[in-house]
Amino acid sequence: MKGKIMLDSNKTYSAEEVYKSILRRIIKLELEPGQLISENQMSIDYGVSRSVIRNAFAKLAQLKFIEVRPQRGTYVTQMDLNYISDLLMLRTAVEKEVIYEMFTKLDDSARVELVKKLDKNIKEEEKYINEKNYSHNFAILDSEFHKTMIDSVNRYALVVILGDIMLHISRWRNFDVEFADRVHELIEEHKNIADGIRNNDLLRTQECMAIHLETITDIYESAIKQYPKYFKK
């Protein structure tokens, strides 16, 4: 799905930078699900020793982003839609609880200020409404939209706790947004969430958040049909 990236041949990469770079390439689908990767090639690409790559691979294996198949090699893991669905349910539960606290712990004036921040964020998002993929700028704004809500009730530690496993949602999001051309839909869903808060409608806001985060059902069959190698059977 993604084009090949060009690494900076003049840059000296630290071990941590190598690890983060490979992780980022996997999440952004530049290294595709099911793709064979090798220590030798990575060491050449980054200009580092094989031991550096081996350590990076070990960390990525712990996060379940790569797997070693005996006598076959090292592969980027395929996306497991059942696992991702469970993670999305967990993320939805967290954000619905955040919304509940917003309505029960914040006073009216605090919620008004929150909506102003969300509206400002959405206005910036609209600059990228015609983007076909999950571009860098829009992805940051999308993350900030949710962070603004979670920070309003001082619950962002929950997201940090779930950080590593939620990286699998990030990879799915990169696929989902480009596959279904969903940037405009995400913006509309953000508007619906903000409107729910604006109208003091707790249940509606929670419902809009659930719709926003549940992204598998509508494209499940077509995604697997078009990209069968991307998904775990």
Side-chain angles (χ1 to χ4, degrees):
M1 175 174 283
K2 298 287 185 179
K4 218 176 202 181
I5 69 163
M6 297 297 292
L7 297 172
D8 186 352
S9 59
N10 295 317
K11 178 178 174 58
T12 300
Y13 290 90
S14 68
E16 184 67 12
E17 286 174 329
V18 169
Y19 161 69
K20 289 183 176 179
S21 175
I22 298 173
L23 174 61
R24 182 170 57 252
R25 292 167 68 189
I26 291 173
I27 291 173
K28 295 180 71 175
L29 305 171
E30 291 162 355
L31 294 173
E32 298 182 329
Q35 180 177 336
L36 175 66
I37 57 177
S38 74
E39 289 181 7
N40 284 339
Q41 187 58 52
M42 287 289 180
S43 65
I44 294 171
D45 290 347
Y46 287 97
V48 296
S49 68
R50 286 184 60 185
S51 64
V52 170
I53 300 299
R54 193 173 302 119
N55 288 336
F57 278 12
K59 292 180 182 179
L60 293 167
Q62 288 181 335
L63 293 177
K64 300 187 185 304
F65 277 115
I66 67 171
E67 60 181 345
V68 178
R69 300 177 186 172
Q71 299 181 335
R72 295 178 62 187
T74 301
Y75 291 80
V76 177
T77 54
Q78 295 168 305
M79 288 186 279
D80 183 341
L81 290 181
N82 290 325
Y83 179 60
I84 294 169
S85 178
D86 289 343
L87 293 180
L88 288 170
M89 179 179 288
L90 181 59
R91 178 68 185 265
T92 300
V94 168
E95 299 226 23
K96 287 176 77 172
E97 180 60 26
V98 163
I99 290 168
Y100 177 78
E101 291 195 357
M102 284 164 41
F103 277 84
T104 57
K105 294 185 177 181
L106 299 182
D107 60 26
D108 290 345
S109 62
R111 286 202 299 276
V112 167
E113 288 303 310
L114 172 61
V115 170
K116 287 180 180 179
K117 292 179 181 179
L118 296 178
D119 286 344
K120 182 179 180 181
N121 176 280
I122 292 168
K123 188 174 181 180
E124 288 298 307
E125 290 179 354
E126 288 179 327
K127 295 177 181 179
Y128 306 97
I129 197 167
N130 294 318
E131 293 287 337
K132 299 298 182 183
N133 54 42
Y134 204 49
S135 70
H136 177 69
N137 289 324
F138 182 81
I140 291 173
L141 290 166
D142 186 13
S143 178
E144 286 179 352
F145 180 89
H146 291 269
K147 188 175 187 298
T148 297
M149 294 179 62
I150 297 169
D151 280 347
S152 72
V153 291
N154 297 313
R155 290 294 189 184
Y156 202 73
L158 290 173
V159 177
V160 175
I161 291 169
L162 298 173
D164 284 347
I165 61 173
M166 289 299 166
L167 292 171
H168 288 274
I169 290 181
S170 298
R171 181 165 66 152
W172 165 252
R173 177 68 93 187
N174 278 306
F175 174 85
D176 163 53
V177 172
E178 183 170 345
F179 179 79
D181 188 15
R182 280 199 355 103
V183 169
H184 63 290
E185 288 183 14
L186 295 181
I187 295 173
E188 287 303 311
E189 288 164 4
H190 283 175
K191 288 180 180 179
N192 292 337
I193 292 166
D195 285 342
I197 302 170
R198 193 187 334 269
N199 296 327
N200 294 314
D201 191 334
L202 167 60
L203 293 180
R204 176 59 180 163
T205 306
Q206 289 180 321
E207 179 184 6
C208 289
M209 181 60 75
I211 291 170
H212 177 58
L213 293 176
E214 203 295 292
T215 56
I216 292 179
T217 303
D218 289 345
I219 68 169
Y220 180 89
E221 291 185 1
S222 57
I224 291 177
K225 183 177 180 179
Q226 190 165 339
Y227 291 92
K229 294 182 180 180
Y230 276 23
F231 300 101
K232 183 177 179 180
K233 295 179 181 179

